[in-house]
Amino acid sequence: MTASRIPNSWEAALETTGPILTAATAFSLIRVFDGDAWVLPVYIAAAVSHLLAIAIRRIGWGMLVSTLISGVGLVLTITWSHYWSTAFWGFPAGRTRTELADDLEQAWTGFGDLSPPVEPLDGFVVSAMAALWLLAFVYDWTAMRTRSLFEPMALPIAATGFTGLVGGSQHRILTIGVFTGALLLFASIHRIAAQTADARWLGGEGRASFGRRALLVGSSAIAAVALVGAIVAGPVLGTQDDPIVDLTEAVERGRRSSGRVVISPLVDIRGRLVNQGDAVMFRVRAEDRSYWRLTSLDQFDGQVWTSRADYAAQPTQLPTLFQSGTSVLESVQHFSIEQLSTVWIPAAFEPRSLVSDTVDIGNGEISYEPSSSTLIVGPSLASSNGLTYTVSSALPRFDPEVLKTIPLDAAPGAPVDAFSALPSDFSPEVRELATRITEEATSGYEKALALQEFFRSGDFIYDANVAPGHSGDRIEEFLSSRRGYCEQFAGTFAAMARSVGLPARVAVGFTVGEADPNDPNLYVVRGRHAHAWPEVYLAGAGWVAFEPTPGRGAPGAQNYTGLAEAQAVRGSDLEPPDVEPASDIAGSLEPPTDFESLFPPDLPELGDAQTTAGGGGGMTWKTWLAIGASLLVALLVLLIPWFKHIQSQRRFLKITGNRGKIRLLWAETVESLALINMSPRPDETYAEFAHRAIEQVPLHSPDLRQLGELAAAATFAPSEPSDRNQWLARTWSLSVRAEVNFRVSRWQKLAAAFNPLSLISSRRREWRGHAVSL
């Protein structure tokens, strides 16, 4: 263990403040996460990290061993807490890596569409565990090994500031007060420990004990004043409605007027398909089968589909978007939500009216957004779980002959320009592919049908095990591997439709579900029935749903899509239910085209790309390893100046007497003079080298000569130098190094700062000061 002059009692106190500070930092996550499912794993990770660091330091192992053991501990803790079923004898396996990568990808994809409090998805919780683990490790390194004051506080302050930016306004004063108290406690204990170690208390131990009590009382008083000030001044300085600095637009770009935004339901689909396949989401009684729609997503920024909808309280007499000429079937459904755990409320498209015996609709506990035909619970409800309600819907029944007569340039009956927007950097290759697929179509309906046939031609495979995501890059990967699930099929279809001028959006919800054997009108909808499909706007008809996902078919859409009703019934199986075969689409459409030939030969990244190992999509483990290694090397290089600073402090603290500290200051000064090509000769004394350096450089400050005389006295004088001599040596050393720093160029400074040789060489030799004898 690093040598320390702090008494055991105060060292133990300083060790204790570490977990307290980390716990206070973790406490601020209540502003980010909904519920308490994150609490146990996050606090366990923080506690284990602190205990490991303390044990390794007390054993006496160095930082390299500590870092390696801590890293292994983090991996095992995450594996045991979240991925035990994938582990091999308790150790992470290939499946562990895959599920972890998927969870992190899902969290990263949905990060831009969040508004607190959010569901603590595994990706978010694992990230929080890693962050708190790092905080605990760095605290023990900086506070206990190097006795630094500011470094142990930097990361907790940054982490709490980050949660303050992305977190909600709830518990703001409480979390700030708790964190401020923990921070002041650490500063107080650190100050007392430092005074005890460095100061010479006049009057003996009794006076020292009184001084420590005075410091502790004074620091406690400051902490109390700060906490009271935060509680009193917080509401006065700024509120959620009138903050001092409004960062809402910057950090909450997905926030809606309802005051709540959750992870895009499109991002959440794979979690339901894979992890909640057997879980019952809700039950619905209806005479007419339908897709149970949650919402639609109309904005694509190249990374994720989101909704720009403005949810206004319009709970009854819901308006219709169906236009003249569209026939509808009136349908009534009764829903009982069990563990859907979202703010969205399922209903058959398009809901017309709603009644409920569990919530007061008139008070805005359920809101409706007409442009997306979305029902959502109000801010007073955490989710739709436990709701029972009855919805009356108008199910569209489109005539394909009518749809084919709608010309491409028909004026829309509603403003839909926003539904055609794509990011400026959207792939030109995908645009060209969509154009070639639809070039023979003469109407918007036929263009959409051609895109549907492209995905349903047999070249694409439904695979729920591919990596999640529907960004521009994932679209290209999906078109290359031709494997994916509804997230990729629907998102890619909608983006390609927009690229050829069709207003399109992505609808998210569930397929019909499983009929109760004893009640054929009662459907049990499970996680495996989660689904997404595209909707295309056709003038005169409104929003028309299509189905690009293999093995899926919407009820009531057979006549214009040409697809029989179908859904997954056992995991990823694609067995269709026992329904009548779909009628031919009037026999007027050409047989399916061999769309393989439509891939342009000059697009190797689409036509020739290979699937990843295991057919899972995304990057291989070798790619991730290369990226991780590169990032680690870059991080280590960037931390070299900080490592040097820590090393200098550590060397200084390891020396117990003023004699050795003065010699260390002289050695560091001589090292800095090497930057201006001034190094001591083997036959020079301290004073001779100082005189030559002042004359040849020349140095304007006489401090080098005085420091040389003091270093010589510290080396050869029989008596121990005083504390004042040490202070003078430090002052003169800083003065000389500052003058040297002024003389060298910026590039020389950078080269010296990031040169790792001094770190390596210092581990191989014991410092002896300036090796000169008279």
Side-chain angles (χ1 to χ4, degrees):
M1 186 178 67
T2 301
S4 172
R5 292 179 289 109
I6 299 178
N8 291 335
S9 60
W10 290 107
E11 181 173 354
L14 198 58
E15 284 180 339
T16 304
T17 57
I20 294 175
L21 183 58
T22 305
T25 306
F27 182 66
S28 63
L29 291 173
I30 64 173
R31 299 177 60 183
V32 177
F33 293 133
D34 186 20
D36 56 4
W38 59 273
V39 174
L40 188 60
V42 167
Y43 276 92
I44 286 178
V48 173
S49 181
H50 274 292
L51 291 174
L52 271 179
I54 291 173
I56 294 170
R57 175 171 41 80
R58 291 192 175 185
I59 290 174
W61 291 339
M63 281 305 305
L64 179 59
V65 176
S66 178
T67 303
L68 292 176
I69 294 179
S70 183
V72 172
L74 173 60
V75 171
L76 292 179
T77 301
I78 290 177
T79 301
W80 295 345
S81 63
H82 282 78
Y83 305 101
W84 178 258
S85 61
T86 69
F88 179 76
W89 293 96
F91 292 94
R95 187 182 165 197
T96 308
R97 177 193 59 81
T98 301
E99 292 198 8
L100 174 61
D102 289 350
D103 289 340
L104 294 177
E105 174 73 17
Q106 180 178 352
W108 176 255
T109 304
F111 181 76
D113 191 36
L114 297 177
S115 182
V118 299
E119 180 185 357
L121 299 178
D122 286 344
F124 290 128
V125 175
V126 167
S127 300
M129 292 173 64
L132 270 296
W133 191 286
L134 178 63
L135 290 183
F137 176 78
V138 171
Y139 176 90
D140 193 86
W141 181 3
T142 56
M144 302 306 303
R145 289 180 180 265
T146 66
R147 308 301 187 194
S148 302
L149 173 62
F150 297 105
E151 287 84 350
M153 299 189 293
L155 284 181
I157 291 175
T160 305
F162 176 77
T163 57
L165 285 177
V166 303
S169 60
Q170 71 277 12
H171 310 301
R172 178 175 56 185
I173 300 301
L174 177 61
T175 54
I176 292 176
V178 169
F179 179 74
T180 303
L183 204 62
L184 290 172
L185 176 65
F186 163 72
S188 302
I189 298 298
H190 188 282
R191 182 184 179 192
I192 295 172
Q195 288 282 12
T196 303
D198 294 336
R200 296 180 181 273
W201 296 92
L202 299 177
E205 179 58 28
R207 182 62 176 173
S209 177
F210 176 79
R212 287 192 290 266
R213 288 197 302 270
L215 285 172
L216 187 58
V217 171
S219 300
S220 301
I222 295 174
V225 171
L227 292 176
V228 173
I231 295 173
V232 174
V236 176
L237 293 176
T239 64
Q240 181 180 5
D241 298 327
D242 185 23
I244 298 177
V245 178
D246 189 1
L247 297 175
T248 303
E249 186 65 24
V251 299
E252 298 179 5
R253 59 187 175 91
R255 185 178 290 267
R256 315 291 186 263
S257 61
S258 66
R260 176 194 308 209
V261 172
V262 297
I263 294 176
S264 166
L266 184 60
V267 175
D268 197 34
I269 281 182
R270 187 180 184 280
R272 296 190 185 278
L273 290 172
V274 177
N275 301 326
Q276 297 180 305
D278 295 326
V280 177
M281 302 288 105
F282 56 87
R283 303 175 192 270
V284 54
R285 182 183 302 278
E287 294 184 358
D288 302 296
R289 300 161 67 89
S290 175
Y291 278 179
W292 315 119
R293 188 175 179 275
L294 293 177
T295 187
S296 64
L297 310 173
D298 57 10
Q299 182 171 275
F300 182 57
D301 61 2
Q303 295 297 322
V304 66
W305 283 90
T306 57
S307 174
R308 73 187 83 197
D310 182 15
Y311 297 100
Q314 300 177 20
T316 58
Q317 300 301 318
L318 309 182
T320 180
L321 294 180
F322 294 128
Q323 302 177 23
S324 60
T326 301
S327 62
V328 297
L329 174 66
E330 297 294 334
S331 174
V332 178
Q333 317 110 52
H334 180 76
F335 286 86
S336 298
I337 309 300
E338 296 192 13
Q339 50 179 325
L340 186 57
S341 300
T342 71
V343 297
W344 317 106
I345 299 177
F349 183 80
E350 174 192 43
R352 294 286 184 88
S353 65
L354 182 145
V355 294
S356 174
D357 54 3
T358 56
V359 295
D360 187 353
I361 297 178
N363 289 336
E365 292 184 334
I366 294 181
S367 298
Y368 178 73
E369 203 290 314
S371 67
S372 61
S373 300
T374 300
L375 292 163
I376 187 172
V377 298
S380 60
L381 299 178
S383 71
S384 59
N385 289 355
L387 290 183
T388 59
Y389 56 92
T390 300
V391 178
S392 296
S393 301
L395 309 183
R397 292 296 180 260
F398 297 110
D399 184 347
E401 295 300 324
V402 174
L403 295 179
K404 284 191 292 183
T405 62
I406 301 175
L408 286 171
D409 56 354
V416 293
D417 292 342
F419 298 95
S420 301
L422 284 173
S424 59
D425 59 349
F426 185 73
S427 171
E429 290 82 6
V430 177
R431 286 182 186 269
E432 182 179 352
L433 176 60
T435 300
R436 294 197 183 191
I437 292 171
T438 61
E439 61 185 354
E440 301 296 329
T442 59
S443 67
Y445 165 63
E446 290 174 322
K447 283 182 178 288
L449 200 63
L451 288 173
Q452 175 183 277
E453 289 294 333
F454 170 66
F455 293 107
R456 299 295 294 255
S457 62
D459 292 330
F460 287 82
I461 298 174
Y462 183 93
D463 185 358
N465 294 314
V466 303
H470 49 270
S471 65
D473 291 339
R474 288 288 289 119
I475 287 177
E476 294 191 357
E477 294 174 12
F478 167 63
L479 292 174
S480 299
S481 66
R482 305 190 185 186
R483 303 179 71 95
Y485 55 98
C486 57
E487 178 183 352
Q488 288 79 40
F489 281 99
T492 303
F493 181 106
M496 295 177 72
R498 288 189 174 192
S499 73
V500 295
L502 296 178
R505 64 189 185 186
V506 177
V508 183
F510 294 83
T511 55
V512 178
E514 304 166 357
D516 190 315
N518 301 320
D519 187 348
N521 291 331
L522 179 62
Y523 301 96
V524 179
V525 182
R526 303 179 184 275
R528 69 170 68 101
H529 299 119
H531 190 46
W533 61 95
E535 296 175 341
V536 175
Y537 189 88
L538 301 177
W543 290 103
V544 182
F546 289 87
E547 186 53 272
T549 305
R552 304 294 190 274
Q558 297 95 321
N559 65 319
Y560 73 90
T561 63
L563 302 173
E565 178 186 341
Q567 66 175 346
V569 293
R570 291 194 305 272
S572 60
D573 294 344
L574 305 177
E575 296 182 8
D578 185 14
V579 297
E580 296 182 1
S583 61
D584 190 3
I585 193 166
S588 59
L589 298 179
E590 297 180 359
T593 307
D594 180 11
F595 289 103
E596 176 71 22
S597 63
L598 293 180
F599 279 95
D602 57 343
L603 301 179
E605 64 271 22
L606 291 180
D608 300 331
Q610 300 296 319
T611 59
T612 58
M619 293 184 289
T620 65
W621 68 270
K622 295 181 180 179
T623 305
W624 283 112
L625 182 61
I627 293 175
S630 300
L631 291 176
L632 179 60
V633 171
L635 178 62
L636 291 176
V637 171
L638 291 175
L639 289 177
I640 286 176
W642 185 62
F643 286 149
K644 288 185 175 181
H645 175 69
I646 296 298
Q647 182 190 68
S648 177
Q649 288 186 332
R650 186 177 180 184
R651 286 195 301 179
F652 193 85
L653 290 172
K654 287 176 67 176
I655 301 173
T656 56
N658 291 330
R659 186 191 302 274
K661 290 184 176 181
I662 293 174
R663 295 177 63 194
L664 175 60
L665 291 169
W666 170 257
E668 290 178 344
T669 305
V670 170
E671 289 176 1
S672 70
L673 288 168
L675 294 175
I676 55 176
N677 300 318
M678 182 56 61
S679 300
R681 299 168 182 167
D683 59 342
E684 281 183 316
T685 64
Y686 296 92
E688 290 172 348
F689 170 70
H691 177 77
R692 183 169 63 86
I694 293 173
E695 292 294 329
Q696 291 185 6
V697 173
L699 293 176
H700 300 292
S701 172
D703 293 335
L704 181 60
R705 181 183 295 111
Q706 296 172 319
L707 179 59
E709 294 172 355
L710 195 56
T715 303
F716 303 107
S719 60
E720 179 77 7
S722 65
D723 289 344
R724 174 174 172 76
N725 289 337
Q726 183 213 121
W727 178 84
L728 288 173
R730 182 181 301 183
T731 302
W732 294 335
S733 176
L734 291 174
S735 174
V736 174
R737 281 184 276 178
E739 185 172 350
V740 171
N741 192 57
F742 178 80
R743 290 173 177 270
V744 299
S745 67
R746 179 180 302 177
W747 295 112
Q748 286 178 300
K749 295 176 186 177
L750 289 176
F754 290 96
N755 185 358
L757 293 180
S758 62
L759 286 173
I760 300 173
S761 60
S762 65
R763 301 292 297 177
R764 297 178 179 176
R765 70 175 186 267
E766 179 182 359
W767 178 82
R768 300 190 306 270
H770 178 38
V772 175
S773 60
L774 290 175

